[in-house]
Amino acid sequence: MALSKLPLYSVFFFFLYTSLSISSQALSSKIAVAQIKDQQDNEPFLGINVGEDVSNLMSTTELVSFLQFQKVTHIKLYDADPDILKALAKTKIRVIISVPNNQLLAIGSSNTTAASWIGKNVVAYYPQTVITAIAVGDEVLTTVPSSAPLLMPAIESLYSALVAANLHNQIKISTPHSASIILDPFPPSQSFFNQSWISVIQPLLQFLSKTGSPLMMNFYPYYVFMQNKGVVPLDNSLFKPLKPSQEMVDPNTLLHYTNVLDAMVDAAYFSMRSMNFTDVVVLVTESGWPSKGDSKEPYATIDNADTYNSNLIKHVLDRSGTPLHPEITSSVYLYELFNEDLRSPPVSEANWGLFYANSTPVYLLHVSGSGTFLANDTTNRTYCIVMDGVDSKTLQAALDWACGPGRANCSEIQPGENCFQPNNVKNHASYAFDSYYQKQGRAAGSCDFKGVAMITTTDPSHGSCIFPGSKKITNEARTVVNTTSPSNGAGGSRLTSFYSSIISAVDKGIENVLDYNFLHFVIHSFYDVLR
């Protein structure tokens, strides 16, 4: 195991032992420790954006506990929420805080205001809360171009305040940009910054180069695909394995691109190179894929969101860099932690999150074998249940499909069985949905049912009703339809055997039974008569 991977205490005792037993190597040991720390600080990482346009958002204490449970080590906020910053103290979670666009005027116009902002939002919390960077504004050049002249004055005023607080070496300053500031993004070697913004971009790159700060970019292959359908294949956008003939090739460099994100990152590097900047790294401050959209967004699906984000996580942790810079892997902040249900239309705007506000996952990330990031509650035991607020007619249609064409085992929700009560469509549908979901191996997209189902990590079992995905299921519970009571007599026993045979046939895929629910009802009614 490489020393850079060892827990801090292991590294400490290793070098303590070395220094005591081989005193002549004490100096080299100290150097090695410093090198290990440097490597740990500069390794590519995955972070996540935390937006707060969420109804019923959990408390800040619960939020931080959730982040720790999910092994999240880096987050980015869209402001400098004091409650979150306070709750992050002593957690070692690294945070980028932001200056909202509506504060640029005040900070860019007054050094005093900038100093006050640093004192209130940085000095008051650092170092107990590990603030790593300040994002000044968000896509200012393309969303609020009228504020563009204030961008560099705000950045320089905040930097001066950091210098005065002696924090300029620990905390970087930059500003996130939309990918649209780069023109002709493919082939990457021909890319260049929009000349309309050179008066801002030139001094910005000079500042980033001088301070060792990154160029922050928001890169969304989803939008590249949507705007270039028929030109950019979906598989290239989703990091799916490609045949050599499907790879994008830059005709000027002959570099092969297997995914859109790498091409976007290299486009940024080529754009900077065209302005003679080669020492500024690219930090991807936003990237993701929506799990739901309106009729004009047919590719905003759970399957595609799962595929993109799962593959993105693996891609970053593989540390394979880009075709232009295989030695540099950009760190990425996923967009985003929660579905922000308060966002304005289109529908996709409220459906970028990996989790719902109650912390249940929107879909099952396939990140096993890729470290611990976001591995909890998504790769372990999950269940499929009905979402709140769905009307009974829609639920009944979904239930009929699950117990019919979906071939879910609905025997336990029939009259007299363990999960019949409470006798309502929501309870029955949850059981049927989970049966189908578990039979499908909890595959991506198998817990949707036209948008009425959701994944949860809370076991929905209750009383003697054990859901299919529950660890509590025993052989007795699994074979309940095959058991008989001594008082049933021969007729009841024969009917139970017949009932079990029908269920077994259904589970094996016989498709000539048109109405499974009706069949269950008839058999149980006949069973009750015999009893």
Side-chain angles (χ1 to χ4, degrees):
M1 181 181 290
L3 288 178
S4 61
K5 301 292 186 183
L6 288 173
L8 187 58
Y9 62 82
S10 299
V11 176
F12 172 78
F13 283 116
F14 171 80
F15 285 108
L16 177 61
Y17 174 79
T18 303
S19 62
L20 291 174
S21 60
I22 311 175
S23 58
S24 63
Q25 297 182 2
L27 180 59
S28 61
S29 295
K30 292 179 181 179
I31 294 173
V33 171
Q35 289 174 336
I36 291 168
K37 184 178 185 300
D38 185 64
Q39 291 170 2
Q40 291 173 331
D41 288 344
N42 289 285
E43 289 178 350
F45 61 81
L46 283 150
I48 196 160
N49 286 275
V50 181
E52 298 182 68
D53 287 338
V54 181
S55 57
N56 301 315
L57 184 64
M58 61 182 68
S59 70
T60 54
T61 302
E62 293 171 329
L63 171 61
V64 171
S65 296
F66 179 64
L67 291 169
Q68 290 178 302
F69 184 69
Q70 292 294 340
K71 309 299 182 186
V72 173
T73 58
H74 296 72
I75 65 171
K76 176 172 161 282
L77 304 178
Y78 289 92
D79 53 20
D81 188 306
D83 293 329
I84 294 180
L85 292 177
K86 185 182 297 183
L88 287 170
K90 300 180 180 179
T91 63
K92 297 184 180 179
I93 294 175
R94 301 185 172 202
V95 57
I96 294 178
I97 58 176
S98 299
V99 176
N101 289 342
N102 60 13
Q103 295 182 23
L104 287 177
L105 176 60
I107 292 174
S109 304
S110 168
N111 291 335
T112 301
T113 302
S116 175
W117 195 94
I118 292 295
K120 178 182 177 182
N121 299 297
V122 178
V123 176
Y125 303 102
Y126 190 89
Q128 286 79 15
T129 297
V130 186
I131 299 170
T132 59
I134 300 171
V136 183
D138 185 34
E139 301 186 350
V140 175
L141 301 184
T142 50
T143 58
V144 282
S146 60
S147 296
L150 296 167
L151 187 56
M152 283 312 301
I155 288 174
E156 289 168 349
S157 294
L158 290 168
Y159 181 73
S160 296
L162 283 181
V163 171
N166 199 28
L167 294 176
H168 58 293
N169 291 322
Q170 297 94 321
I171 300 172
K172 304 301 180 183
I173 297 183
S174 188
T175 180
H177 295 288
S178 163
S180 61
I181 69 165
I182 298 174
L183 301 182
D184 290 346
F186 198 87
S189 61
Q190 294 181 188
S191 300
F192 58 94
F193 290 115
N194 188 327
Q195 298 301 296
S196 301
W197 301 118
I198 289 300
S199 61
V200 176
I201 293 174
Q202 178 76 31
L204 172 64
L205 292 177
Q206 290 174 339
F207 173 84
L208 299 179
S209 177
K210 178 184 73 173
T211 61
S213 300
L215 176 67
M216 294 179 172
M217 297 297 304
N218 297 340
F219 284 147
Y220 289 96
Y222 169 74
Y223 289 125
V224 173
F225 169 74
M226 290 295 292
Q227 294 163 8
N228 299 276
K229 282 183 290 187
V231 178
V232 177
L234 180 62
D235 286 355
N236 296 61
S237 304
L238 296 174
F239 293 95
K240 287 189 174 181
L242 302 174
K243 298 177 181 177
S245 61
Q246 294 177 302
E247 294 177 355
M248 301 176 288
V249 181
D250 187 321
N252 301 313
T253 62
L254 299 183
L255 293 173
H256 287 237
Y257 289 88
T258 59
N259 65 82
V260 172
L261 183 64
D262 279 354
M264 297 178 81
V265 172
D266 276 358
Y269 279 121
F270 275 112
S271 297
M272 287 191 287
R273 179 184 289 184
S274 70
M275 297 179 66
N276 297 317
F277 291 96
T278 58
D279 59 348
V280 177
V281 299
V282 174
L283 174 64
V284 181
T285 39
E286 288 182 13
S287 192
W289 197 285
S291 60
K292 188 177 181 180
D294 57 31
S295 59
K296 296 180 180 179
E297 299 176 292
Y299 297 94
T301 66
I302 283 178
D303 281 349
N304 287 341
D306 175 19
T307 299
Y308 179 80
N309 284 317
S310 295
N311 287 339
L312 173 59
I313 291 170
K314 295 173 185 176
H315 186 66
V316 172
L317 296 181
D318 282 346
R319 302 173 189 171
S320 55
T322 66
L324 178 62
H325 285 299
E327 79 285 4
I328 302 174
T329 298
S330 291
S331 296
V332 177
Y333 286 82
L334 296 177
Y335 186 82
E336 58 184 327
L337 185 62
F338 298 120
N339 271 351
E340 294 189 87
D341 60 314
L342 300 180
R343 297 293 298 270
S344 301
V347 173
S348 62
E349 278 297 297
N351 289 279
W352 290 86
L354 301 181
F355 296 90
Y356 295 104
N358 63 2
S359 79
T360 58
V362 177
Y363 47 85
L364 186 69
L365 276 173
H366 291 73
V367 295
S368 58
S370 298
T372 59
F373 177 76
L374 291 179
N376 291 314
D377 280 2
T378 55
T379 55
N380 294 327
R381 190 163 296 275
T382 53
Y383 312 84
C384 182
I385 62 172
V386 171
M387 294 182 68
D388 291 332
V390 181
D391 65 272
S392 58
K393 183 178 180 180
T394 302
L395 267 187
Q396 185 64 55
L399 173 61
D400 291 344
W401 184 91
C403 293
R407 294 199 287 274
N409 186 348
C410 297
S411 60
E412 285 294 294
I413 56 176
Q414 303 308 313
E417 299 298 344
N418 290 333
C419 296
F420 179 70
Q421 296 292 344
N423 181 17
N424 59 64
V425 66
K426 182 178 181 180
N427 176 67
H428 292 177
S430 285
Y431 186 93
F433 291 177
D434 192 55
S435 173
Y436 177 82
Y437 175 62
Q438 303 299 335
K439 283 190 173 187
Q440 297 298 314
R442 297 181 291 175
S446 61
C447 181
D448 183 51
F449 298 93
K450 295 187 176 181
V452 303
M454 61 179 276
I455 294 172
T456 180
T457 55
T458 302
D459 190 346
S461 301
H462 51 90
S464 59
C465 175
I466 308 300
F467 269 57
S470 177
K471 292 179 180 179
K472 300 174 184 177
I473 293 181
T474 63
N475 289 333
E476 180 183 0
R478 288 186 184 276
T479 58
V480 65
V481 295
N482 293 322
T483 60
T484 58
S485 170
S487 62
N488 285 343
S493 179
R494 285 194 299 271
L495 183 62
T496 302
S497 178
F498 170 65
Y499 177 87
S500 301
S501 298
I502 291 292
I503 296 302
S504 176
V506 169
D507 285 342
K508 290 178 181 177
I510 292 177
E511 298 177 356
N512 61 350
V513 181
L514 297 179
D515 192 334
Y516 291 72
N517 280 329
F518 180 72
L519 178 64
H520 290 314
F521 173 77
V522 169
I523 294 173
H524 270 282
S525 299
F526 189 39
Y527 192 6
D528 290 338
V529 170
L530 287 179
R531 286 192 299 182

